[in-house]
Each structure stands twice: as C-alpha cells, then as structure tokens.
Amino acid sequence: RKPVVLKGMELGTCTTKWTVDYLSKAEGSKEVKIHVSMVPQMDFLSKNFVYRTLPFDAFVQRAAEVKHKEYFLSEDEKYYLRSVGEDVRKDIADIRKQFPILAEDVQIPEYFEKEQFFSSVFRISSAGLQLWTHYDVMDNFLIQVTGRKRVVLYSPRDAPYLYLSGTKSEVLDVDNPDLEKYPLFVKAKRYQCFLEAGDVLFIPALWFHNVISEDFGVALNVFWKHLPAKNYDKSDTYGNKDPTAASRAMQILDRALKTLEELPEEYRDFYARRMVLRIQEKAYRNDYG
C-alpha cells in the first residue's frame, strides 16, 4: 500500500508517436473543455481558473507554447485538460471512447482485472502547471507518456496535518507553505519522485499527491476499483466520492456533533474528547510508519 515508480514498462507506441504535431492531427478539431489559469498554481477550492472550450488541435498547440499570440486571459496563461465523458454528469472518462485514435497507441499495464477498471483520464498540461494536493478513493496509475513531472506525496496517516477541505488540502504551496496559517503542516512527512517520459507512478488510494508539470506533458491516469464494487457510490462519475460506508459514517458524526451543541461548552468539550478517544481506540492503525 505504498507508492512506487515503475520504469521500463511496455506502454505501446504512444511514448514515441505522441509529438505535438501527431496529437494535433490524430484527433483533429473536436472540441474539448479545458482549465485556463493566469497563475501556475491551480487552486480547486478558490477556483482561480476558468473553464474554456477549444478545438483539440488548437488546444495542444497552445498548451505546448510558453507565450501565446492568442489567449483568453493573458499571454502566459496555463492550460490543463482533464478528459471527461460526453455527458460529464453521467459518463465516465475513458480514452477509448473520447480519444479512440490515440487510445490505439496505448498499452495499459495489466495489474488489475478487467472488471475492476473504472476510468482512463487523458491529461495534458502546460509547462510549470501545478495541481492542488488531493487524494483519490481508488488505486491508480499515473502514466507519464511525454514530458516530466514532479510528484509530492503524503501518507493517509498525515491527513490531520494537511488542512483538508473534502478530498483537497488547503495548503497550495507545498514547497513554501504559509506556516503561520498552517502550522501543523511541518509534521506531514513528504515523499517526492520525478517522472520521466515512459514512467508509471502507482498511487494507492487515499495517498495525497501534488503534481507539477516540469515540461509540457501528456499523461494518462488509470483508475480501478480495488475494493469490492459495493463499496463505491454508483453515481460517482469522477471517482472521487468517498466509499459509501465512509460517507455514512461522516454523516453520523455530523449528527453526533450537532447533538453535542445542546450541552454547555465544558460538557461539549469533555464528551467530544471522549468521542475522539473512542475513535482512536476502535479505528486507528499503528502498524505502519
């Protein structure tokens, strides 16, 4: 249950064929919805980016540029594509359906059963783009086809130090964090790796990751259901909803905390601490570092 970088995998012809020109011609002018940001550090919580639509070939050309003659916000804006299904609310991202020509060039490592497959998310990033720290609820491969990425990871056990809002951390700048605002962040143990073209990073479910594109790069994220299917929310098209049992438990906890509000502060504090002790006793693991 730990991340690992796999090198020398057989990934198909994508590692040699996927140049800017080839990508542009292969899928042509079909329209894609993209993130556009004036700053390299994207923040999903404050939404410091806008969504725009471009023909795929035009998008690829722009994403590969440093300065733009044509742009939405500024000449040095950053672009990011996270592929989605045809109906974003119902259809799951699958490169075989959204980008069938490019899909023929890819050989996905077979480390899971076919029925466990959930999604294959096609990603293209401008050089310098940084994605917010977050966790996923499924095991996944980050297949770096072209370009280089730096990935910073944190163990699920360090969740108390990451200032979470849902599945995302409020700490955007993991290299120079604001420790006055986020003092506990220093306790989070940082793991880091650099992905070269052709590398595959295995990211276990619940491991937090922050991804920086060192170059213009193309990647494929493959997610699969490593738990029995009944554990996952059937309406989840993005694969980022907590397991159904976890969601129910969080709802019960919210109700319990609301009930505590009926008590005076000193009683509320006392019984909240008792609840924390119960949770630690019943649920915390102590067999990994």
Side-chain angles (χ1 to χ4, degrees):
R1 305 304 305 160
K2 291 186 178 180
V4 63
V5 176
L6 305 171
K7 291 183 171 289
M9 303 292 292
E10 179 51 59
L11 300 175
T13 58
C14 57
T15 53
T16 54
K17 289 172 72 173
W18 283 10
T19 63
V20 171
D21 287 342
Y22 176 80
L23 290 168
S24 299
K25 292 173 184 173
E27 295 290 348
S29 59
K30 64 179 290 179
E31 291 203 328
V32 289
K33 190 175 183 180
I34 57 173
H35 301 66
V36 183
S37 176
M38 290 180 66
V39 295
Q41 219 166 53
M42 290 178 62
D43 180 2
F44 196 82
L45 296 175
S46 70
K47 296 290 197 299
N48 65 346
F49 53 84
V50 296
Y51 293 103
R52 293 291 183 265
T53 302
L54 276 176
F56 182 74
D57 50 2
F59 157 69
V60 172
Q61 295 291 337
R62 281 206 209 178
E65 299 170 345
V66 177
K67 296 282 185 184
H68 313 294
K69 291 181 180 177
E70 295 183 62
Y71 51 84
F72 296 107
L73 306 174
S74 70
E75 65 177 6
D76 54 358
E77 63 192 15
K78 303 293 184 183
Y79 298 93
Y80 172 56
L81 168 69
R82 180 216 186 275
S83 65
V84 293
E86 297 304 319
D87 184 330
V88 296
R89 289 169 295 184
K90 296 180 181 178
D91 299 332
I92 291 166
D94 186 343
I95 191 174
R96 294 169 298 185
K97 296 177 181 177
Q98 286 95 47
F99 300 92
I101 297 172
L102 294 177
E104 293 178 4
D105 301 334
V106 183
Q107 183 175 318
I108 296 172
E110 295 182 359
Y111 279 82
F112 54 91
E113 301 298 330
K114 287 183 179 179
E115 60 269 20
Q116 291 178 290
F117 171 85
F118 176 73
S119 67
S120 51
V121 183
F122 187 50
R123 301 182 190 271
I124 297 180
S125 305
S126 293
L129 188 79
Q130 182 172 11
L131 294 184
W132 52 89
T133 304
H134 66 284
Y135 71 86
D136 298 299
V137 299
M138 298 182 195
D139 284 355
N140 69 91
F141 281 140
L142 176 54
I143 301 170
Q144 190 63 25
V145 181
T146 71
R148 294 174 300 157
K149 277 192 174 75
R150 187 190 76 175
V151 186
V152 176
L153 304 109
Y154 300 95
S155 162
R157 196 169 190 177
D158 283 340
Y161 315 129
L162 298 178
Y163 297 87
L164 299 184
S165 177
T167 62
K168 303 160 188 71
S169 170
E170 293 180 12
V171 186
L172 283 184
D173 193 339
V174 295
D175 298 314
N176 298 289
D178 182 345
L179 295 180
E180 285 191 10
K181 192 174 182 181
Y182 308 114
L184 295 179
F185 186 69
V186 294
K187 294 186 177 183
K189 184 177 179 181
R190 172 185 177 125
Y191 298 83
Q192 180 171 285
C193 65
F194 290 87
L195 300 181
E196 302 289 338
D199 289 349
V200 178
L201 172 61
F202 168 57
I203 307 176
L206 310 184
W207 273 78
F208 297 89
H209 45 288
N210 181 289
V211 182
I212 302 99
S213 295
E214 302 276 329
D215 312 310
F216 162 77
V218 184
L220 183 65
N221 229 172
V222 181
F223 294 84
W224 65 92
K225 297 179 178 181
H226 65 288
L227 300 177
K230 65 180 181 180
N231 288 279
Y232 300 99
D233 187 326
K234 291 180 180 178
S235 67
D236 185 7
T237 56
Y238 286 93
N240 58 8
K241 290 186 179 180
D242 289 313
T244 51
S247 295
R248 291 200 308 273
M250 293 296 278
Q251 290 167 4
I252 293 167
L253 176 60
D254 286 340
R255 289 199 295 272
L257 292 172
K258 191 167 183 63
T259 303
L260 280 185
E261 291 176 8
E262 299 173 15
L263 294 169
E265 184 180 18
E266 63 181 299
Y267 282 80
R268 191 165 66 240
D269 179 275
F270 173 71
Y271 285 102
R273 291 175 190 273
R274 282 196 60 188
M275 289 167 67
V276 169
L277 290 171
R278 291 277 297 275
I279 292 171
Q280 286 179 329
E281 179 186 319
K282 294 287 186 181
Y284 273 36
R285 288 178 58 186
N286 58 13
D287 60 342
Y288 64 101

